[in-house]
Amino acid sequence: MSDELNPEEQPLLLLVDDDPTFTRVLARALSRRGLRVDTAGGAEEAMQIARERQPDFAVLDLKMEGDSGLVLMPRLLELYPELKIVILTGYSSIATAVEAIKRGACNYLCKPADADDVLTALLSDQADPDTLVPEHPMSVDRLQWEHIQRVLAEHDGNISATARALGMHRRTLQRKLQKRPVRR
């Protein structure tokens, strides 16, 4: 992508993340790489921007205040079926990666991801499912995290329903979800 393009000819990317510092830094880096970037701090603001301007690409944070990236994605794809979407998350799991791809994301990235990672993910033809599966077996703690994420995805992010399905107290589940996932 070239900075020499007329600004109206540059592809438009919608960046949706509730971390203003991360959003500002990533938006600036993507702008330097030849994209026009609109930012939103949540799903409703993103939908308003998407209705006003037709984005070519979208980068959505998985976990945000209000609707998650997984909930926002089908709404954006309903407006623009050809929209290429990448899901970004600081709390990656196989379950959410698979769910994101099933719902229409072209790729799934773990934070911290830089502008080059995002561009590569957006411009690749499709996500490689083999990269979503780790080469080494997971620890019991990581398996527990993966299972919780899968059940949470099955219940569309509803904490109470997930806690009931897992047979644990809602506050216990909330504490587990607040912790960073175990690496392996």
Side-chain angles (χ1 to χ4, degrees), residues 2-121:
S2 170
D3 290 325
E4 298 171 12
L5 290 174
N6 175 341
E8 292 305 311
E9 294 173 3
Q10 292 176 323
L12 177 62
L13 180 134
L14 176 59
L15 175 58
V16 186
D17 197 303
D18 59 357
D19 179 343
T21 304
F22 175 79
T23 302
R24 187 177 62 252
V25 170
L26 185 58
R28 187 179 317 129
L30 290 167
S31 294
R32 287 188 191 127
R33 286 162 177 79
L35 294 168
R36 289 178 297 141
V37 181
D38 283 344
T39 61
E44 292 312 312
E45 183 182 2
M47 287 303 296
Q48 181 179 354
I49 291 169
R51 283 186 201 100
E52 292 171 4
R53 300 164 46 100
Q54 182 176 349
D56 301 292
F57 303 107
V59 176
L60 312 177
D61 188 16
L62 179 69
K63 293 186 187 237
M64 301 180 286
E65 290 293 321
D67 288 344
S68 72
L70 288 179
V71 173
L72 173 59
M73 185 171 33
R75 294 172 59 198
L76 288 170
L77 288 170
E78 189 175 310
L79 280 177
Y80 308 112
E82 298 300 313
L83 183 65
K84 292 190 80 173
I85 299 175
V86 168
I87 295 289
L88 271 180
T89 183
Y91 300 94
S92 65
S93 74
I94 292 171
T96 55
V98 170
E99 188 64 26
I101 301 304
K102 278 183 185 176
R103 291 188 187 199
C106 71
N107 228 314
Y108 178 95
L109 291 175
C110 301
K111 289 180 182 176
D114 63 23
D116 292 328
D117 296 334
V118 171
L119 278 177
T120 300

